[in-house]
Amino acid sequence: MRVLLGLAGLLVVVFVIAQLARAQVQALHPAVPASGTEAGTVHTPQQQVIDELSKALEAGSQRAASAGD
């Protein structure tokens, strides 16, 4: 009887941990926006950082190219 209760408790703990992990993964990867919006107009904070970094790198390479002339 103790073994069955221990196993049931263990399964409950594993279930709770799995639910918490799933919530964390969903927070990291938000759901795809509704199909009515265009993919180019929806920017996650990570995508905004990537876009700004790309712009800064492009500006820096243009400055370096013009300084080398």
Side-chain angles (χ1 to χ4, degrees):
M1 189 67 176
R2 259 189 199 172
V3 173
L4 291 177
L5 288 176
L7 184 59
L10 182 63
L11 289 175
V12 168
V13 169
V14 169
F15 177 75
V16 169
I17 291 173
Q19 293 299 317
L20 291 173
R22 186 177 66 148
Q24 292 295 321
V25 169
Q26 285 178 348
L28 291 174
H29 300 288
V32 176
S35 61
T37 59
E38 295 181 17
T41 60
V42 177
H43 291 288
T44 62
Q46 293 90 353
Q47 186 63 40
Q48 289 176 345
V49 169
I50 291 170
D51 291 343
E52 291 175 8
L53 183 59
S54 297
K55 288 177 187 176
L57 289 172
E58 181 67 28
S61 66
Q62 288 176 354
R63 286 185 199 143
S66 65
D69 291 341

